[in-house]
Amino acid sequence: MKPLTSYTCKLSDDQAEALRGYLREHGFKFREVPYARYAGENDKLNVVFYESGKLVLQGKGTQEFIEFVLEPEILKEAKLGYEAVLNPELLAPRLGVDESGKGDFFGPLCVAGVYVNEAVIKSWEDAGIRDSKNISSDKKMRELADLIADTSGCVWSVVPIGNEAYNRLYTKMRSVNTLLAWGHARVIENLMGQGHRMNPPPVRAISDQFASSKDTVAKALMSLGREIELVQRHKAESDIAVAAASILARNEFVTRLGEMEKQFEMEFPKGASAIVDAAAKEFIAKHGVAELPKVAKMHFRTALRAQGLPEPPKTEWRKR
């Protein structure tokens, strides 16, 4: 495999200053480059950091510099451009699946899936697509969701499970993990049904392992979903396909929560907390307890507290 001889990525201001300091301390010769904040070189590497925030590395020392300096000392993480050289599987065509709303008392459960191939992945290299939990702005989430949906070659599916449907399914299944498994399986099936749009075909589907047993999702797979390898692992959002799915799922959740707020003319805070408890009581006072299943997940203890009902004792979790 040929060593990497060119590389680009985005740096924050702090990262850029840390890199400048490193170059100065290690004998790089600085020079002027148009539109660059700074540029340095030695006998193996040219480094240019542009006003736009883009870093460009070129030369036979690129791969070594990324491995021993840029990633461990500046970025503090492995980046796609370098990982892909060492692990071509990162550019393999695949599906990523993730959900949003599982831990939110108010609002639906939304499951999304995304197909990516090499061209899609490379087009997102500087887009900032990452786990939705690390994106604090709903506006930025919406912008990234639009980018994902409009990317040529990307195929996606979102399955929103509204509160009334969620409560019916939970009553039937009696398990959040079983319900989640059904949602993941449904999304994979939807994507596999669009096989003619996925070029080349996906080699696997990747999702977070949310249940203790991988069989939970595997058993829920439908006919088309059984034709593809299913990979479940913890922190799957580090994969760009899963990260993209997490963005679509969260954007759908936030959008639908906003629609609920307009419909019922009150704010529905995210998550589950004392603020959410207060909002649940406010909702019942305004609209009546019969309307609560339309906006909330009724198996949460929040629902009992909001109605003034006793909570069952919490069972201590023990590892078997």
Side-chain angles (χ1 to χ4, degrees), residues 14-284:
D14 289 344
Q15 290 170 338
E17 287 309 305
L19 178 59
R20 190 206 296 262
Y22 178 90
L23 299 180
R24 188 180 293 116
E25 292 169 7
H26 289 80
F28 278 71
K29 182 180 179 180
F30 283 81
R31 57 191 174 88
E32 295 293 324
V33 172
Y35 308 109
R37 194 179 302 180
Y38 59 81
E41 63 182 3
N42 61 17
D43 60 339
K44 293 183 179 181
L45 184 67
N46 289 310
V47 180
V48 182
F49 180 67
Y50 290 94
E51 294 287 356
S52 65
K54 184 178 182 180
L55 173 69
V56 177
L57 306 178
Q58 290 181 315
K60 61 183 180 181
T62 297
Q63 184 162 319
E64 181 181 358
F65 188 80
I66 294 170
E67 181 177 0
F68 295 106
V69 179
L70 185 65
E71 289 187 343
E73 297 191 27
I74 308 301
L75 299 176
K76 310 293 187 184
E77 64 176 337
K79 300 294 284 186
L80 173 66
Y82 176 58
E83 285 186 335
V85 172
L86 297 185
N87 184 5
E89 285 293 298
L90 291 173
L91 297 178
R94 60 191 182 274
L95 311 181
V97 186
D98 202 19
E99 79 285 331
S100 183
K102 178 178 69 172
D104 297 276
F105 174 65
F106 290 115
L109 174 68
C110 299
V111 187
V114 174
Y115 162 82
V116 300
N117 56 25
E118 182 174 350
V120 170
I121 293 167
K122 287 184 174 179
S123 75
W124 290 347
E125 197 166 44
D126 296 323
I129 292 174
R130 56 195 185 277
D131 180 9
S132 63
K133 290 188 286 295
N134 296 323
I135 302 172
S136 58
S137 163
D138 288 346
K139 179 176 180 291
K140 181 64 175 177
M141 191 89 66
R142 183 167 58 252
E143 291 171 354
L144 288 174
D146 289 342
L147 170 68
I148 293 164
D150 293 339
T151 299
S152 176
C154 176
V155 183
W156 54 276
S157 174
V158 178
V159 173
I161 305 172
N163 288 100
E164 291 180 287
Y166 178 98
N167 291 321
R168 285 196 301 270
L169 287 169
Y170 184 85
T171 299
K172 178 182 178 182
M173 298 177 178
R174 306 304 303 173
S175 164
V176 173
N177 285 343
T178 304
L179 204 163
L180 270 176
W182 176 85
H184 280 227
R186 181 69 265 169
V187 163
I188 292 171
E189 193 75 1
N190 289 355
L191 287 172
M192 293 298 290
Q194 302 180 69
H196 61 287
R197 298 181 57 209
M198 296 189 285
N199 184 30
V203 296
R204 65 183 61 87
I206 303 173
S207 75
D208 193 54
Q209 186 181 340
F210 51 81
S212 58
S213 171
K214 294 184 178 182
D215 287 345
T216 304
V217 177
K219 289 178 179 177
L221 289 173
M222 302 165 198
S223 58
L224 295 177
R226 295 181 186 278
E227 297 175 4
I228 190 171
E229 178 191 7
L230 176 63
V231 176
Q232 299 175 72
R233 61 172 183 249
H234 298 297
K235 300 193 177 188
E237 298 88 349
S238 61
D239 183 281
I240 195 168
V242 181
S246 78
I247 290 170
L248 291 186
R250 193 61 178 175
N251 183 64
E252 185 73 17
F253 171 83
V254 169
T255 299
R256 288 177 175 265
L257 194 68
E259 292 170 353
M260 280 172 37
E261 290 180 336
K262 290 179 181 178
Q263 179 183 352
F264 291 96
E265 298 181 336
M266 66 169 285
E267 182 180 352
F268 294 117
K270 301 181 184 75
S273 64
I275 295 174
V276 175
D277 284 358
K281 291 177 182 177
E282 178 188 348
F283 180 88
I284 290 175

